[in-house]
Amino acid sequence: MTAVLKVDCVGATFGSLRAVRDVTLQAHAGERLIILGTNGAGKSTLFNLIAGDILPTYGSIEWRGQPIQKLSAHERTRLGISRSYQTSRVLHGLSVADNMYLAVQGVHAGRFSWRVPGADHPWRKKADDTLSRIGLRDVGDELASNLSHGEQRQLEIAMALASDPYMLLLDEPAAGLSPSERPGLVALLRGLSRDVTMIMIEHDMDVALQVADRVLVMHEGEIMFEGTPEETAASPLVRSLYLGSSGDVDAA
Ligand SMILES: Nc1ncnc2c1ncn2[C@@H]1O[C@H](COP(=O)(O)OP(=O)(O)OP(=O)(O)O)[C@@H](O)[C@H]1O
């Protein structure tokens, strides 16, 4: 397996707080890597370091053989790294199709235009194709505010795919979903092309274990466990770190 992402002994410090400590990890081409951990474990900070939203205090990050730890988020997007955020970036006053169009337009930095593009404009076509891929083409004319919570998360994933990334970083895609919406999300994530490597932060153990090839568990800024979904589900360490003393998987 080819390692496309190599994070080597990376740390991020905020004042006296060591939010991420000496983290080393690799992601392989096409892999689904899931990062679990309790609140404040450092998962989002690690994502920000990989995506370029913050720069590491120390350590190196290599993407397809190239050091990227000093590159901006925008430069990393151009190299094929795309991310979603915990807080939705969907504009509720716009239609689903227009949200998607803006995401495609955003990839072509410096070429913003207020002119309404025709249906045959290549960016519009790209937006429509991506919505079809994610199963939202039929609701393209709906205001984004009219979508169910599950469909809004779907739209965020579609928007993150606008740049045709090689690697997708998804920050808690199941957050706020009802139990009945989760199987749809799992099916969507499992159906994404293996041309795209995926790293995902997820609190929901059930969703995480259904999507993951490999699981990392963070605690107090460090990676404390790495294993397959089966090893994760069976691990007493994961139970004590992640699930607390109750050991109740459903409590995740
Ligand atoms: N920009 C910042 N400035 C100062 N402290 C920060 C900053 N970002 C994160 N932190 C702190 O770093 C620690 C790790 O936060 P982080 O958001 O990475 O954790 P997390 O595992 O993603 O948690 P959650 O699951 O709640 O999102 C926390 O104590 C947080 O308060």
Side-chain angles (χ1 to χ4, degrees), residues 14 17 19 37-46 86 172 201 203:
F14 301 115
L17 176 75
T38 47
N39 288 336
K43 306 178 297 295
S44 294
T45 305
L46 178 60
Q86 230 174 67
E172 284 194 51
I201 295 175
H203 270 290

